[in-house]
Amino acid sequence: AARFFYQSLRQAPQAIDYFKSRGLAPETVRDFRLGYSPAGYSSLIMHFQNQGIDTSKLADCGLAIKKEDGKAYDRFRNRVMFSLFDLSGKVIGFAGRAMEAGATPKYLNSPETLLYKKKSVLYGLYQARQYIKESGFVVVVEGYMDYLTMYQAGIRNMVASSGTALTEEHAHLLIRFCSRIVLLFDGDSAGQTAAIRAIYVL
């Protein structure tokens, strides 16, 4: 699915323009397996059907949604896609940002599956884990783009909470790599409230 989304980016100038407008280099898009989910209702389903993969398996891992009549449609449609990795570098889920103004939700995450547990995943930890160990501390930001722009600028000892509250599971993950944690959340009231809550969790 990550390969499909990345390849679909070539036919999606609006998604390419979005990544460019956020200052991301092609290498960053490639290395973090960013991409685009086409607007159609069954683009991904048809792609996998051509490979002999049953739609029920796509539903099991959150890529498709099955209706009561048995028909299915793609969960992610017309969104720029962020691949979510486990600590071994395998893609275990996705987050998709809507391309249409006013679309809800703005960010859509994979549902909880056998592979993906939202409260236990920190965006970028797989790529940053060695830099965190070497520096002795980690910087925690809120969003995917916050992380990617700073990582691209050379600040590598960081992770993102992916727009969710920092959990005890996140804290246990981080303490495996360092004992100093810096919170760099948004400056608005919601970001500052989230930072105060995170301090107590830590």
Side-chain angles (χ1 to χ4, degrees), residues 70-200:
K71 294 180 180 178
Y73 58 94
D74 292 348
R75 177 179 296 274
F76 300 102
R77 302 181 308 279
N78 194 25
R79 291 175 178 269
V80 291
M81 300 298 293
F82 300 84
S83 294
L84 309 176
F85 299 85
D86 66 12
L87 282 176
S88 63
K90 293 176 182 173
V91 177
I92 55 171
F94 297 94
R97 184 193 187 279
M99 295 299 296
E100 298 168 355
T104 55
K106 185 177 179 181
Y107 277 94
L108 179 65
N109 275 40
S110 289
E112 296 269 311
T113 66
L114 290 173
L115 288 175
Y116 175 63
K117 301 287 185 286
K118 190 174 184 178
K119 64 182 181 180
S120 302
V121 175
L122 285 163
Y123 185 72
L125 183 56
Y126 166 68
Q127 289 86 352
R129 64 198 191 288
Q130 197 56 41
Y131 298 106
I132 294 169
K133 281 183 178 179
E134 291 170 0
S135 64
F137 74 101
V138 61
V139 178
V140 183
V141 294
E142 286 189 82
Y144 305 105
M145 293 304 308
D146 299 329
Y147 173 90
L148 290 167
T149 50
M150 293 178 76
Y151 189 96
Q152 186 175 269
I155 304 169
R156 302 289 169 85
N157 57 322
M158 52 189 311
V159 297
S161 62
S162 309
T164 65
L166 200 73
T167 66
E168 287 188 18
E169 288 82 359
H170 290 151
H172 284 300
L173 256 182
L174 292 175
I175 211 71
R176 288 169 54 184
F177 297 94
C178 65
S179 58
R180 293 174 59 215
I181 299 169
V182 178
L183 302 174
L184 189 60
F185 290 177
D186 292 349
D188 58 18
S189 60
Q192 294 306 292
T193 300
I196 292 168
R197 285 179 184 156
I199 288 168
Y200 286 103

Side-chain angles (χ1 to χ4, degrees), residues 9-101:
L9 193 57
R10 297 173 186 173
Q11 284 80 47
Q14 74 275 30
I16 293 172
D17 289 344
Y18 171 76
F19 287 133
K20 282 183 177 177
S21 73
R22 302 303 299 264
L24 296 188
E27 295 77 19
T28 302
V29 173
R30 179 198 65 210
D31 293 347
F32 284 86
R33 298 197 207 173
L34 308 184
Y36 172 74
S37 58
Y41 271 78
S42 59
S43 302
L44 186 67
I45 289 173
M46 290 173 63
H47 169 75
F48 277 115
Q49 282 178 343
N50 291 335
Q51 298 181 39
I53 295 174
D54 191 76
T55 304
S56 63
K57 295 190 182 299
L58 300 183
D60 287 343
C61 60
L63 290 167
I65 297 174
K66 270 196 169 183
K67 297 190 288 186
E68 289 183 5
D69 60 7
K71 294 180 180 178
Y73 58 94
D74 292 348
R75 177 179 296 274
F76 300 102
R77 302 181 308 279
N78 194 25
R79 291 175 178 269
V80 291
M81 300 298 293
F82 300 84
S83 294
L84 309 176
F85 299 85
D86 66 12
L87 282 176
S88 63
K90 293 176 182 173
V91 177
I92 55 171
F94 297 94
R97 184 193 187 279
M99 295 299 296
E100 298 168 355

